[in-house]
Amino acid sequence: MPGWGWGSARRAEASGCAEGPWRRGHRLQLHKAGLAAWNPRMNYTRFITAASAARKPSAIRVMTEILGKSSKSVLSLATGAPNPNTFPFKSAVITIDNGETIQFDEEMMKRALQYSQSAGLPELLSWLKQFQVKLHNPPTIHYPASQGQMDMCVTCGSQEGLCKVFEMIVNPGDNILVNEPIYSGTIHAVQPLGCNIINISSDEHGIIPDSLREILSKWKPEDSKNPKKNTPKFLYTVPNGNNPAGNSLTTNRKKEIYELARKYDFLIIEDDPYYFMQFNKPWAPTFLSMDVDGRVIRADSFSKVLSSGLRIGFITGPKPLIERIVLHIQVSTMHPSTFAQLLVSQLLYQWGEEGFLAHVDRVIDFYRKQRDALLAAADKWLSGLAEWHVPTAGMFLWIKIKGLHDVRKLIEEKAFKKEIFMLPGYHFYLDSSAPCPYFRASFSLASPEQMDMAFQGLAQLIKESL
């Protein structure tokens, strides 16, 4: 499929041909922010925009952090927190699927409805850090804080965290690497930042390392130390159950990609919302588990396995970068919902790590059956008319219709009139105006009977269009 490819790289090289006053001002701002003294192995300063470097701690938010750790004997006239006695909500009992309950008494409810720390509730962060170490054992756990020690923050879903990551790193004209087809939310988040988006080819096993290697060969490894060369800032990828393609990166490809990241000194943004929806075990090692440098920023989400509406995600990465994200949170969302965090925290402590993973197994079993039902419907009605690869994670099947150069009219008009809703593939490409023979079918909500009826109707429309 068409991407921006080499044209983007050439435009990027042109846009980075001179440092100019903006970049000199940027370096000065980084120095003032105390960022220039960071990790001598990882020069984090080159990944921080002037706007991010200029962020300072919010005095009010810092006071909230201090009060959160203080004893009840403290006499505080400092914050503008509303008096919880004025809130109309007094208690709550939430029943979970095993029949047990989570209870918020009046005191707990007062806390749940109040402002809280910008990085996340301490007890939730503590649980998540311990769990992240158990799952991935990042090499950076015991690094000095200034040299990329693993840190975390809770965000309003992983999407908020990712948007803040992009805004922390991307200047107009910067080069970034992605693999099409790509989650449309990411396209719409990064395109307005004015960066050059370079597509890396992929197949049913994810990014093709040789394609990445060929694109990077336009630079020399030492060029990353020269701002004029404008080497890529990061690679963004969804390694498991990629939305929309459903493909997953193999372990060997991840190792090759990580070594290229080390060689050319770019970050890896590992957006992994379907990590807990991998159908085959053992699960593949993550980029975070390979990260000996502190160059991986990982986005996790509870949206697919606990609740999408609670909006609880978490970002893991090197402490110097996580600190910048938290400073942004302080002046934007201020913090994720305290109520939602407490609810999730209470559940996780009640379940424990093994209880959570047992729930994950039940979720995987459900989506595996859903996937198999959609595949059965595809085999029954679309064989010979379309082609697809079996997804190993996630909730999507990526289908290419044979003999049609572009399916936009078929999916958006003809199928829509028949009350068959799919998503045409052009939404997931950088050049959304280009013809595209793909569409995305989700197997998360529809029943097997509905899947069968939908593909039966679609097959008839395809035959009429050929």
Side-chain angles (χ1 to χ4, degrees), residues 7-246:
S8 295
R10 287 194 290 270
R11 288 195 297 274
E13 289 170 339
S15 69
C17 62
E19 182 176 38
W22 187 92
R23 290 187 183 272
R24 285 196 296 273
H26 180 198
R27 286 192 287 106
L28 178 62
Q29 187 63 65
L30 289 169
H31 179 74
K32 288 180 178 179
L35 304 178
W38 280 351
N39 190 354
R41 291 165 47 193
M42 279 293 294
N43 176 21
Y44 291 112
T45 59
R46 69 176 286 253
F47 300 112
I48 304 293
T49 65
S52 183
R55 298 191 186 282
K56 294 179 171 59
S58 162
I60 295 173
R61 294 272 78 212
V62 170
M63 183 58 68
T64 300
E65 307 271 341
I66 294 171
L67 286 173
K69 300 174 184 177
S70 300
S71 67
K72 292 185 178 180
S73 62
V74 167
L75 305 175
S76 174
L77 282 71
T79 69
N83 193 308
N85 291 321
T86 65
F87 299 159
F89 311 100
K90 297 306 176 186
S91 65
V93 177
I94 296 95
T95 304
I96 55 180
D97 57 8
N98 62 2
E100 295 182 4
T101 61
I102 295 171
Q103 299 192 30
F104 283 21
D105 60 20
E106 193 163 342
E107 283 305 306
M108 179 73 82
M109 186 62 87
K110 286 180 180 179
R111 185 183 177 209
L113 300 177
Q114 189 57 276
Y115 292 126
S116 57
Q117 296 90 334
S118 291
L121 291 183
E123 63 264 46
L124 179 57
L125 274 175
S126 175
W127 197 98
L128 291 174
K129 284 182 180 179
Q130 182 176 324
F131 192 52
Q132 204 74 317
V133 169
K134 177 178 180 177
L135 288 175
H136 311 291
N137 193 27
T140 56
I141 299 166
H142 301 298
Y143 283 22
S146 62
Q147 293 183 14
Q149 181 187 66
M150 185 200 95
D151 201 6
M152 295 178 69
C153 64
V154 183
T155 55
C156 298
S158 59
Q159 186 70 13
E160 186 217 6
L162 287 165
C163 283
K164 285 177 167 51
V165 169
F166 299 145
E167 291 178 25
M168 171 179 67
I169 300 173
V170 177
N171 293 307
D174 281 346
N175 287 325
I176 68 169
L177 305 165
V178 304
N179 59 293
E180 291 181 315
I182 178 177
Y183 174 53
S184 57
T186 298
I187 296 176
H188 300 316
V190 297
Q191 279 185 334
L193 301 178
C195 53
N196 301 302
I197 309 174
I198 304 172
N199 177 46
I200 312 298
S201 297
S202 59
D203 57 21
E204 67 268 30
H205 303 299
I207 293 170
I208 301 171
D210 283 345
S211 174
L212 176 59
R213 189 175 288 109
E214 183 180 357
I215 285 174
L216 291 171
S217 69
K218 299 294 179 180
W219 292 274
K220 298 175 182 177
E222 60 269 24
D223 286 348
S224 64
K225 296 179 174 62
N226 184 352
K228 295 179 182 180
K229 298 296 184 179
N230 201 14
T231 57
K233 285 282 193 74
F234 64 77
L235 167 68
Y236 168 88
T237 189
V238 179
N240 293 297
N242 176 35
N243 178 4

Side-chain angles (χ1 to χ4, degrees), residues 426-465:
Y426 73 86
H427 289 293
F428 303 97
Y429 288 91
L430 301 171
D431 182 3
S432 61
S433 64
C436 179
Y438 293 91
F439 71 92
R440 190 194 77 177
S442 171
F443 49 82
S444 61
L445 292 176
S447 68
E449 294 76 21
Q450 290 172 324
M451 297 176 193
D452 188 82
M453 291 173 61
F455 278 179
Q456 180 183 10
L458 183 63
Q460 183 61 38
L461 292 174
I462 294 173
K463 292 172 184 176
E464 292 172 1
S465 300

Side-chain angles (χ1 to χ4, degrees), residues 96 98 100 102 123-124 126-128 130-132 134-135 276 302 306 343-362:
I96 55 180
N98 62 2
E100 295 182 4
I102 295 171
E123 63 264 46
L124 179 57
S126 175
W127 197 98
L128 291 174
Q130 182 176 324
F131 192 52
Q132 204 74 317
K134 177 178 180 177
L135 288 175
F276 296 115
F302 283 134
L306 292 185
L343 181 58
V344 169
S345 181
Q346 292 286 311
L347 179 66
L348 294 176
Y349 276 97
Q350 187 167 311
W351 272 350
E353 292 174 354
E354 296 308 314
F356 173 74
L357 290 173
H359 171 74
V360 165
D361 283 340
R362 292 190 292 272

Side-chain angles (χ1 to χ4, degrees), residues 252-269:
N252 287 338
R253 288 193 181 189
K254 286 179 183 175
K255 290 178 179 177
E256 284 190 70
I257 291 165
Y258 187 81
E259 287 308 312
L260 287 169
R262 300 191 76 189
K263 182 177 180 179
Y264 289 91
D265 192 24
F266 56 83
L267 302 176
I268 295 175
I269 299 178

